[in-house]
Amino acid sequence: MENLVYVALFAPFVGSLFASLFGMSERKMFVGYVASALLATAFAASATLAYNLFTTGEVIHVTMMDWISAGDISIPFGFVIDQISVTMMVVVSFVSTIVHIYAIGYMDHDKSFNRFFSYLSAFVFSMMVLVMSDNFAGLFIGWEGVGVCSWLLVGFWYHKPDQAREDNPSISPSWAANEAFIMNRIADLGMLVGIFIIYWNTGSLQYDEVFAQIPYLSDTILTTAAIALFIGAMGKSAQFPLHTWLTDAMEGPTPVSALIHAATMVTAGVFLVIRANPLFAETPEVSFFIASLGTFVAFYAASMALVERDLKRIIAYSTLSQLGYMFAAAGLGAYWIALFHLAAHAFFKALLFLGGGNVMHAMHDELDLFKMGDLRKKMRGTWIYMTIASIALAGLPPLAGFWSKDAIIETAFNEHTYILWIMLVITAGMTAFYSFRQIFLSFHGEDRHTALGFHPHEMYKFVLVAMSPLAVLAIITGWFMGAYKGFIYQLGEGVQYEMSEHTHHLATYLGLIVIFFAVSGIVIAYLKYARTGEKAWKRNEEVEQGFFYKLLKNQYYVPKFYEEFITKPYAMISEVFWTKIDLKIVDATVDNIAKFFYSTGDKTRAMQTGNLSNYLNWMAFGGVLLLVIAAISAMIG
C-alpha cells in the first residue's frame, strides 16, 4: 500500500514535469493526454487506498525521509492516509482528472497549451501534499504551493488588457492573480503564527503528537492557536473580509475556476478546520465564531449572486456561499457533515463550472446572461448538465446537495442556534433562485444572442462524455451519506456527531421547510426570467436603478472601501517613502558615498605619472607625514 501512496502523490508531479519539457514548444495535444492519464492513475491509487481503508479500517502512516533536522527540531517528510485525507485524495484526484480532460478541449487553440497543463498538474500535486501530510509543516508547504500555482493559473492570460467593470474598473488576469496572492499571504501570516504557537508549546508539528498534548495546554494557548490557524483558513477559503479575491479569480481560464473552486484551493481552509478538529473542539468560542461567520458568508454571498449578470461570477458567489455552509457545520462540531458537503459540492460545482465554460466557449467569451437566452436548442447536453448541477446546488431531493446541505441546516437547529438556522434556510431559498435564474436566462426565454451576432454551438462530444461522471455523482452521492458516516466514524469521537432525539423526530418537517424555500426560489425565478418579454426587461431595468440592486451589485461596496481606505492610502504612503526617503535619503546617501570615492580616486590618480622623481617626492612626503603622526602619538601617549 505504501507504493500506492507514492503513486497518488507523485503522479501529478510527474505530469507537471513532463508538460514543462514542452513549455516553450508549440501546442502538442499528447501533453494533455499524458497529464490526464497520470491524474487518472493518481485517482485509481487514491480509490484503491480508500477501498482498503473502508474494508480494513487500517490507517496508513508513511515516512518517506527525514526532512528538517535542526537542533531539537525534527520533521519527517511523512504522510497519513486516514478517513479525512483519503476523502480529499479521492475528491481532488477525481475532479482534477475530469478537469484535465475537459481542458484538452477548452484550451486546444491556446498557444500556451503545454505550459497550462504543467501549471495545472503542479497545482494538483501541491493540493495532494497539503491533504496527505501528517504534520503542519508539510500542510503549510502544500498550502503555499497551491497559492503559487493559483497565481500562475489565474494570471495565465496575463497578456489580456484591463477591462472596465462597474465594481472594479481595472480588473485583468494579472490584477486578479496578484489580488488573490497578496490577500492569501496576509492570511498565511496568521497561520504561520498558529504553527509557531503549536510547536513552541508542544515541541512537535506531527498531528498525532500535537493532538495528544492538547488536554495539557492552557485555554489561552489553545484559543490563540485556533484563532491564528483560522485566519489562514479565512484567506484560503475566502471568508469575509478576505473574500474579494475569489470572484475576481474568474479572470482565469474556466478549467482553473472549476479546479480551484470545486475541489482544491478554496476547500483547503475547511479541510484545515476538520483536520485540526481536536484543537477546535476544545475552543468552543472560536468554533461558534467560525459557525457564525460561515452562516453570514453563506447569506452574504448568496445575496450578491441574486443580481449578478456574469455567469462565472454567479457560480463563484455560490462557491463562497457553500463554503459558508461548510464552515457553519464545522464550527458547530459536525465535522464529518462538513466534509461530506465538501465532497458532494465538489462534484456538482465542478459540473456547473465546466458547463459554464461550455457556454462561454460557445458565446466567444461572452458571460452576460442578458445577452444569451434559448441556448438549450443548440447546447442540449450542456443544458442538461447545468440543470442537474443547479438542482443539486439548490438542495432539492434526491440529488447530492439536498442530503449534505439539509444535514448542515439540521445541525444548526440541533445545536439550538436558531438564528443561524433561519439564515441558512433563507439562504437555501436564495441559492435556488440564483441557480435557476442563470438557467432560465441562458437556456430559456427568447433568443437574444443571434441579434448580437453570436452563433453558439455545443462543446466537443468527448468533453461532454468526460463531464458525465460528475453529473452521475451529483445525483447519487447523497444516497451514500449513511455509509460515509460509518466510514468516517472509524476515526473516533472527534468526528462523531449525532442529532438529538428531538431533532431526529423533526427531521422530516425540517427537510420540508428547506424544500419549500428552495422550490419557492425556483418558482420566483421561473416567473421572473423564464418567459422574458419587453415588459419583463423594462421592469428589470427599473429594478437596476434601485438602491438595493446597486448595493448588491457593488458587493456592499466592500471592494470600494478597500480601494479608498486601504489601497489608495497605502499607495500614497509608499510614494512618499519612495520620493522623500528612498530617493532623497537612502539613495542619496549611497550615491554620495560612491561619488566621494570616485572623486577621490579621480584626483589621486594624478599621482600616477610614471616619473621616478615624482614618485620619490611622494615617498619623501609620506615619510615625513608618518614621522609627524608618530611624534604626535608619542606626545599624546
Coordinates of all heavy atoms in Angstrom, one line a residue, residues 230 239 270 273 287-298 321-335 337-338 341 405 407-409 411-412 415 417 420-421 424 497:
F230 N -7.3 29.7 12.0 CA -8.5 30.0 11.3 C -8.3 31.3 10.4 O -8.9 31.4 9.4 CB -9.7 30.2 12.2 CG -10.9 30.5 11.5 CD1 -11.5 29.6 10.7 CD2 -11.6 31.7 11.7 CE1 -12.7 29.9 10.0 CE2 -12.8 32.0 11.0 CZ -13.3 31.1 10.1
Q239 N -13.2 33.7 3.2 CA -14.2 34.1 4.2 C -14.1 35.6 4.4 O -13.0 36.1 4.4 CB -14.1 33.3 5.5 CG -14.4 31.8 5.3 CD -15.8 31.5 4.9 OE1 -16.7 31.6 5.6 NE2 -15.9 31.2 3.6
V270 N -11.4 24.8 4.9 CA -12.4 23.9 5.5 C -11.6 22.6 6.0 O -11.8 22.1 7.1 CB -13.5 23.5 4.6 CG1 -14.5 22.6 5.3 CG2 -14.2 24.8 4.1
V273 N -9.7 23.1 9.2 CA -10.5 23.1 10.5 C -10.9 21.7 10.8 O -10.9 21.2 12.0 CB -11.8 24.0 10.3 CG1 -12.7 23.9 11.5 CG2 -11.3 25.4 10.1
S287 N -15.0 28.2 17.8 CA -15.8 27.3 16.9 C -17.2 28.0 16.6 O -17.6 28.0 15.5 CB -16.0 26.0 17.5 OG -14.8 25.2 17.6
F288 N -17.7 28.6 17.6 CA -19.0 29.3 17.4 C -18.8 30.5 16.5 O -19.7 30.8 15.7 CB -19.6 29.7 18.7 CG -21.0 30.4 18.6 CD1 -22.1 29.6 18.2 CD2 -21.2 31.7 18.7 CE1 -23.4 30.2 18.1 CE2 -22.4 32.3 18.5 CZ -23.5 31.6 18.2
F289 N -17.7 31.2 16.7 CA -17.4 32.3 15.8 C -17.3 31.8 14.3 O -17.8 32.4 13.4 CB -16.1 33.0 16.2 CG -15.7 34.1 15.2 CD1 -16.3 35.3 15.2 CD2 -14.7 33.8 14.3 CE1 -15.9 36.3 14.3 CE2 -14.3 34.7 13.4 CZ -14.9 36.0 13.4
I290 N -16.6 30.6 14.1 CA -16.5 30.1 12.8 C -17.9 29.7 12.2 O -18.1 30.0 11.0 CB -15.6 28.8 12.9 CG1 -14.2 29.1 13.2 CG2 -15.7 28.0 11.5 CD1 -13.3 27.9 13.5
A291 N -18.7 29.2 13.0 CA -20.1 28.8 12.6 C -20.9 30.1 12.2 O -21.6 30.1 11.2 CB -20.8 28.0 13.6
S292 N -20.7 31.1 13.0 CA -21.5 32.4 12.8 C -21.0 33.1 11.6 O -21.7 33.6 10.7 CB -21.3 33.3 14.0 OG -21.8 32.7 15.2
L293 N -19.6 33.1 11.4 CA -19.1 33.8 10.2 C -19.4 33.0 9.0 O -19.8 33.6 7.9 CB -17.5 33.9 10.4 CG -16.8 34.5 9.2 CD1 -17.2 36.0 9.0 CD2 -15.3 34.4 9.4
G294 N -19.4 31.7 9.0 CA -19.8 30.8 7.9 C -21.2 31.1 7.5 O -21.5 31.2 6.3
T295 N -22.1 31.2 8.4 CA -23.5 31.4 8.1 C -23.7 32.8 7.5 O -24.4 33.0 6.5 CB -24.3 31.3 9.4 OG1 -24.2 30.0 10.0 CG2 -25.8 31.6 9.1
F296 N -23.0 33.8 8.1 CA -23.0 35.1 7.5 C -22.5 35.1 6.0 O -23.2 35.7 5.2 CB -22.2 36.1 8.3 CG -22.0 37.4 7.7 CD1 -23.0 38.4 7.5 CD2 -20.7 37.7 7.1 CE1 -22.7 39.6 6.9 CE2 -20.5 38.9 6.5 CZ -21.5 39.8 6.4
V297 N -21.4 34.5 5.8 CA -20.9 34.4 4.4 C -21.8 33.7 3.5 O -21.9 34.1 2.3 CB -19.5 33.8 4.5 CG1 -19.0 33.5 3.0 CG2 -18.5 34.6 5.2
A298 N -22.4 32.6 3.9 CA -23.4 31.9 3.1 C -24.5 32.9 2.6 O -24.9 32.9 1.4 CB -24.0 30.7 3.8
S321 N -20.7 31.0 -1.0 CA -21.9 30.7 -0.1 C -21.8 29.3 0.5 O -22.0 29.0 1.6 CB -23.2 30.9 -0.9 OG -24.3 30.7 -0.1
Q322 N -21.5 28.3 -0.4 CA -21.4 26.9 0.1 C -20.2 26.7 1.0 O -20.3 25.8 1.9 CB -21.3 26.0 -1.2 CG -22.5 26.0 -2.1 CD -23.8 25.8 -1.3 OE1 -24.0 24.8 -0.6 NE2 -24.8 26.7 -1.4
L323 N -19.2 27.4 0.8 CA -18.1 27.3 1.8 C -18.5 27.8 3.2 O -18.1 27.3 4.2 CB -16.9 28.2 1.3 CG -16.1 27.7 0.2 CD1 -15.1 28.7 -0.4 CD2 -15.3 26.4 0.6
G324 N -19.4 28.8 3.2 CA -20.0 29.3 4.4 C -20.8 28.1 5.1 O -20.7 28.0 6.3
Y325 N -21.6 27.4 4.3 CA -22.3 26.2 4.9 C -21.3 25.2 5.5 O -21.6 24.7 6.6 CB -23.1 25.5 3.8 CG -24.5 26.0 3.5 CD1 -24.7 27.0 2.5 CD2 -25.5 25.6 4.3 CE1 -26.0 27.5 2.3 CE2 -26.8 26.1 4.1 CZ -27.0 27.0 3.1 OH -28.3 27.5 2.9
M326 N -20.2 25.0 4.8 CA -19.2 24.0 5.4 C -18.6 24.5 6.7 O -18.5 23.7 7.6 CB -18.1 23.8 4.3 CG -18.5 23.2 3.0 SD -17.2 23.1 1.8 CE -18.0 23.1 0.3
F327 N -18.3 25.8 6.7 CA -17.7 26.3 8.0 C -18.8 26.3 9.1 O -18.5 26.1 10.3 CB -17.2 27.7 7.7 CG -15.8 27.7 7.2 CD1 -15.5 28.2 6.0 CD2 -14.7 27.2 8.0 CE1 -14.2 28.3 5.5 CE2 -13.4 27.3 7.5 CZ -13.2 27.8 6.2
A328 N -20.0 26.5 8.7 CA -21.1 26.5 9.7 C -21.2 25.1 10.4 O -21.3 25.0 11.6 CB -22.4 26.9 9.1
A329 N -21.1 24.1 9.5 CA -21.2 22.7 10.1 C -19.9 22.4 10.9 O -20.0 21.9 12.0 CB -21.2 21.7 8.9
A330 N -18.7 22.8 10.4 CA -17.5 22.5 11.2 C -17.5 23.3 12.5 O -17.1 22.8 13.5 CB -16.3 22.9 10.3
G331 N -18.0 24.5 12.5 CA -18.0 25.3 13.7 C -18.9 24.8 14.7 O -18.7 25.0 15.9
L332 N -20.0 24.1 14.3 CA -20.9 23.5 15.2 C -20.6 22.1 15.6 O -21.3 21.5 16.3 CB -22.3 23.5 14.6 CG -22.9 24.9 14.3 CD1 -24.2 24.8 13.5 CD2 -23.2 25.7 15.6
G333 N -19.4 21.7 15.2 CA -18.9 20.4 15.7 C -19.2 19.2 14.7 O -18.8 18.1 15.0
A334 N -20.0 19.4 13.7 CA -20.4 18.4 12.7 C -19.3 18.3 11.6 O -19.6 18.5 10.5 CB -21.8 18.7 12.2
Y335 N -18.1 17.8 12.0 CA -17.0 17.8 11.1 C -17.3 16.9 9.9 O -16.9 17.2 8.8 CB -15.7 17.4 11.8 CG -15.4 18.4 12.9 CD1 -15.6 18.1 14.3 CD2 -14.9 19.7 12.7 CE1 -15.2 19.0 15.3 CE2 -14.6 20.6 13.7 CZ -14.8 20.2 15.0 OH -14.5 21.1 16.0
I337 N -20.0 16.0 8.6 CA -21.1 16.5 7.7 C -20.4 17.6 6.8 O -20.7 17.7 5.6 CB -22.2 17.1 8.5 CG1 -23.0 15.9 9.3 CG2 -23.2 17.8 7.6 CD1 -24.1 16.4 10.2
A338 N -19.6 18.4 7.4 CA -18.9 19.5 6.6 C -18.0 18.8 5.6 O -18.0 19.3 4.4 CB -18.0 20.3 7.6
H341 N -20.3 17.4 2.8 CA -20.8 18.5 1.9 C -19.7 19.0 1.0 O -19.9 19.4 -0.2 CB -21.4 19.7 2.7 CG -22.0 20.7 1.9 ND1 -23.1 20.5 1.0 CD2 -21.8 22.1 1.8 CE1 -23.4 21.6 0.4 NE2 -22.7 22.6 0.9
K405 N -26.6 19.5 2.5 CA -27.0 20.8 2.9 C -28.1 20.7 4.0 O -28.1 21.4 5.0 CB -27.5 21.7 1.7 CG -27.8 23.1 2.1 CD -28.4 23.9 1.0 CE -27.5 24.0 -0.2 NZ -28.1 24.9 -1.3
A407 N -28.5 18.3 6.1 CA -27.8 17.9 7.3 C -27.2 19.1 8.1 O -27.2 19.1 9.3 CB -26.8 16.8 7.0
I408 N -26.6 20.0 7.3 CA -26.0 21.2 7.9 C -27.0 22.1 8.6 O -26.9 22.5 9.7 CB -25.2 22.0 6.9 CG1 -24.0 21.2 6.4 CG2 -24.7 23.3 7.5 CD1 -23.2 21.8 5.2
I409 N -28.2 22.3 7.9 CA -29.2 23.1 8.4 C -29.8 22.4 9.7 O -30.1 23.1 10.7 CB -30.3 23.3 7.3 CG1 -29.7 24.1 6.2 CG2 -31.5 24.0 7.9 CD1 -30.6 24.3 5.0
T411 N -28.2 20.5 11.7 CA -27.2 20.7 12.7 C -27.4 22.0 13.5 O -27.3 22.1 14.7 CB -25.8 20.6 12.1 OG1 -25.6 19.3 11.5 CG2 -24.7 20.8 13.2
A412 N -27.6 23.1 12.7 CA -27.9 24.4 13.3 C -29.1 24.3 14.2 O -29.1 24.9 15.3 CB -28.0 25.4 12.2
E415 N -28.3 22.3 17.5 CA -27.4 23.0 18.4 C -28.1 24.2 19.0 O -27.5 25.0 19.7 CB -26.1 23.4 17.7 CG -25.2 22.3 17.3 CD -24.8 21.4 18.5 OE1 -24.4 22.0 19.5 OE2 -24.8 20.2 18.4
T417 N -29.0 26.9 17.8 CA -28.6 28.2 17.2 C -29.6 28.6 16.2 O -29.4 28.5 14.9 CB -27.2 28.0 16.6 OG1 -27.2 26.9 15.7 CG2 -26.1 27.8 17.6
L420 N -28.9 31.1 13.3 CA -28.1 30.6 12.3 C -29.0 29.7 11.4 O -28.9 29.7 10.2 CB -26.9 29.8 12.8 CG -26.0 30.5 13.7 CD1 -24.8 29.6 14.0 CD2 -25.5 31.8 13.1
W421 N -29.9 28.9 12.0 CA -30.8 28.0 11.3 C -31.7 28.8 10.3 O -31.8 28.4 9.2 CB -31.6 27.2 12.3 CG -32.6 26.3 11.6 CD1 -32.4 25.2 10.9 CD2 -34.0 26.5 11.5 NE1 -33.6 24.6 10.5 CE2 -34.6 25.5 10.8 CE3 -34.9 27.5 12.0 CZ2 -36.0 25.4 10.6 CZ3 -36.2 27.4 11.8 CH2 -36.8 26.4 11.0
L424 N -29.6 30.1 7.4 CA -29.3 29.1 6.4 C -30.5 28.6 5.6 O -30.3 28.3 4.4 CB -28.7 27.9 7.2 CG -27.3 28.1 7.8 CD1 -26.9 26.9 8.7 CD2 -26.2 28.4 6.8
Y497 N -20.8 12.8 15.2 CA -21.8 13.8 15.6 C -23.2 13.2 15.3 O -23.4 12.7 14.3 CB -21.6 15.1 14.7 CG -22.6 16.2 15.1 CD1 -22.4 17.1 16.1 CD2 -23.9 16.3 14.4 CE1 -23.3 18.1 16.4 CE2 -24.8 17.2 14.7 CZ -24.5 18.1 15.7 OH -25.4 19.1 16.1

